[in-house]
Amino acid sequence: MSGTSEVLLRVYRYDPSNGGKPRYQNYRVPTFRGMTVLDALIYIKENLDPTLSIRYSCRMASCGSCGMTINGLPRLACFTQISELRSKYILVQPLRNLPIIKDLVADLDEFFNKHKLVKPYLIRRDVEEQENPREQYRQSEEELERYVQFAYCIKCALCYSACPVVSTDKSFPGPQALAQLYRYYIDTRDEAREERIRIVDGAHGIWRCHFADSCSQVCPKGVDPALAIQLMRREMMFGPSKG
Amino acid sequence: MAGRRNGLAVLVEALRTWLVPYRYGLERWSYTLQRISGVVITLYFVAHIVETGYVVGGPSVWTIRPDAQQYAERVWTETIKFLSNPLFDAGLAIIGFFVAFHTINGIRLFLAHFGWGLGRPTRPEPMHRPQSMSPTQRALFWASIAFAVFALVYTTNAFFGVLA
């Protein structure tokens, strides 16, 4: 780590086993070219403060583990370079809209429960076929393009954290779950369109979205949940599209 | 941001998400402006009903009084005198801005909620721009801002004659 300059990280600290009062702690970290916020946090953990809790795994924006709020915006720490923030001062907080387990580690249970709620898997009417598929389900390129963008989701919860509706309505499934609902709804291999509509057709369901588009702005994979939600509403209003 | 949230924390969070649209792009500004303008228009509507109620004599309007004509004229004069204030005029100009913005942007949102004027799903490449905020949506948003500014200038000129 041969850095010639350093950056000040102001990190949110919260330990429920130690009184549970949130506070902030400052760390000065030497930087190097290409250094990410996750690199800086790992440097803190290894050299300055081993009590800091962070969650990460792949370090390449594939697993979605290291989501946190960096300078006010939900981002993946491994996918955010120090240099792109254009600041010598970096505020690091856990993801919003989720309970905190410790420090920068958010509890993703409610997020994954909502994901499960929309049944994110192909459903076939034939139970035997569902359990023991007998053949391949062929699709055209055009049919694939209708949902493949939404299949890029890595479940990092950045969209969930950015959503202003989730902030005030915990019954709202959130952009990730609704985008996955549309991803399976529009998949020609799926046979549970009516069932999927029933899951989210309510005042606290898909109609609750106010189209703030923040989910799509923060998605590190370009999934565009806001687009999926509006397209799903069109399907529900005007009937299923062909195919 | 800590685990359990009480009612006050929910309210603070709601106001923060409404009033702090920074960093999230154009559509979040639209969300914030649409909410603020909606609340302001609703409050204005209530105040307008109350004000009009006073002008026509309040609940007594349902009773035919012998001096109804004189009474109505007196209250009308008093109300107009009370409202002849630059602060109320400026408030009406701002209401004009909000009504124009809320109307046009509301139509845009109405269309977007039903999937109209949006882009098509595409495979995300580096530097991907969300198709939910398509060029059509951006143009309509700026059109609503332009219309609202026009309304603001028009009403300001009507009250203060700034263009004269």
Side-chain angles (χ1 to χ4, degrees):
Chain A
M1 184 141 329
S2 56
T4 53
S5 62
E6 62 178 22
V7 69
L8 176 69
L9 264 76
R10 186 167 172 77
V11 180
Y12 179 93
R13 303 300 307 270
Y14 170 67
D15 184 356
S17 66
N18 188 22
K21 186 156 185 170
R23 63 190 171 89
Y24 285 88
Q25 195 162 348
N26 294 338
Y27 302 96
R28 290 197 175 278
V29 177
T31 60
F32 58 88
R33 183 179 165 86
M35 185 184 204
T36 65
V37 173
L38 180 61
D39 291 331
L41 292 170
I42 292 172
Y43 178 87
I44 292 170
K45 195 163 176 62
E46 290 179 346
N47 300 284
L48 304 176
D49 187 352
T51 67
L52 177 66
S53 293
I54 52 176
R55 177 171 53 210
Y56 64 97
S57 183
C58 73
R59 310 187 196 199
M60 49 186 281
S62 288
C63 71
S65 302
C66 63
M68 54 189 73
T69 307
I70 300 170
N71 278 1
L73 202 64
R75 309 175 205 244
L76 292 180
C78 71
F79 200 48
T80 306
Q81 293 198 3
I82 301 281
S83 58
E84 76 182 77
L85 297 172
R86 299 173 193 273
S87 173
K88 292 289 181 188
Y89 168 83
I90 299 171
L91 179 63
V92 188
Q93 300 163 296
L95 289 176
R96 296 191 187 112
N97 296 343
L98 290 161
I100 310 304
I101 297 173
K102 186 173 180 290
D103 297 338
L104 299 175
V105 182
D107 185 347
L108 297 177
D109 275 358
E110 77 175 46
F111 171 75
F112 284 123
N113 285 338
K114 289 176 178 177
H115 178 60
K116 279 187 227 166
L117 185 75
V118 301
K119 302 190 176 180
Y121 43 84
L122 293 177
I123 298 175
R124 305 291 290 188
R125 288 200 192 98
D126 184 342
V127 177
E128 177 57 26
E129 178 69 12
Q130 178 79 28
E131 298 301 324
N132 301 296
R134 290 181 292 269
E135 58 183 331
Q136 293 181 7
Y137 304 139
R138 295 185 183 280
Q139 279 186 319
S140 67
E141 184 71 15
E142 185 188 345
E143 290 169 339
L144 174 68
E145 293 298 332
R146 295 171 73 183
Y147 72 83
V148 71
Q149 175 178 17
F150 312 116
Y152 278 65
C153 176
I154 58 172
K155 301 157 198 72
C156 59
L158 298 196
C159 59
Y160 192 82
S161 175
C163 178
V165 179
V166 172
S167 293
T168 51
D169 184 359
K170 284 296 175 187
S171 304
F172 180 60
Q176 188 273 344
L178 292 173
Q180 292 314 296
L181 177 96
Y182 180 72
R183 175 255 175 273
Y184 286 97
Y185 174 92
I186 207 68
D187 192 322
T188 50
R189 300 167 296 177
D190 190 73
E191 295 178 338
R193 286 190 159 188
E194 295 79 10
E195 183 181 346
R196 296 192 189 282
I197 286 176
R198 278 197 298 274
I199 293 171
V200 294
D201 187 11
H204 296 280
I206 196 164
W207 306 109
R208 191 73 170 180
C209 171
H210 292 294
F211 192 28
D213 203 42
S214 306
C215 50
S216 299
Q217 295 294 332
V218 302
C219 180
K221 308 304 280 187
V223 168
D224 206 347
L227 176 63
I229 294 171
Q230 312 319 314
L231 294 177
M232 185 69 207
R233 290 207 274 215
R234 180 167 70 185
E235 295 283 321
M236 292 169 71
M237 282 296 295
F238 303 111
S241 53
K242 293 175 183 174
Chain B
M1 195 171 284
R4 192 176 292 275
R5 306 190 323 159
N6 57 29
L8 182 63
V10 171
L11 178 65
V12 169
E13 190 69 10
L15 290 175
R16 197 178 59 76
T17 57
W18 279 29
L19 303 175
V20 186
Y22 306 114
R23 301 188 183 95
Y24 286 103
L26 198 60
E27 191 64 54
R28 186 65 171 258
W29 282 94
S30 156
Y31 169 83
T32 293
L33 269 175
Q34 190 74 3
R35 301 230 117 189
I36 292 174
S37 59
V39 170
V40 169
I41 292 167
T42 304
L43 293 177
Y44 169 75
F45 180 71
V46 173
H48 182 64
I49 295 296
V50 171
E51 168 216 337
T52 309
Y54 275 122
V55 169
V56 298
S60 66
V61 72
W62 302 108
T63 311
I64 299 175
R65 300 160 51 130
D67 61 339
Q69 179 72 21
Q70 294 83 352
Y71 178 80
E73 282 181 5
R74 180 169 61 78
V75 176
W76 170 264
T77 307
E78 286 174 359
T79 307
I80 292 298
K81 189 179 175 186
F82 174 70
L83 294 175
S84 297
N85 182 320
L87 275 178
F88 286 115
D89 292 344
L92 281 175
I94 292 170
I95 293 288
F97 175 89
F98 279 147
V99 167
F101 173 79
H102 198 85
T103 303
I104 304 299
N105 195 50
I107 293 170
R108 177 185 75 82
L109 288 171
F110 179 83
L111 297 176
H113 285 187
F114 296 145
W116 290 326
L118 301 169
R120 294 169 64 87
T122 54
R123 287 179 193 249
E125 301 292 342
M127 307 305 288
H128 172 81
R129 293 190 73 167
Q131 288 304 299
S132 46
M133 200 55 184
S134 63
T136 306
Q137 293 295 324
R138 300 176 78 88
L140 287 171
F141 171 76
W142 285 115
S144 65
I145 290 286
F147 189 65
V149 169
F150 172 77
L152 178 67
V153 171
Y154 181 85
T155 48
T156 304
N157 184 55
F159 287 121
F160 301 106
V162 290
L163 298 180

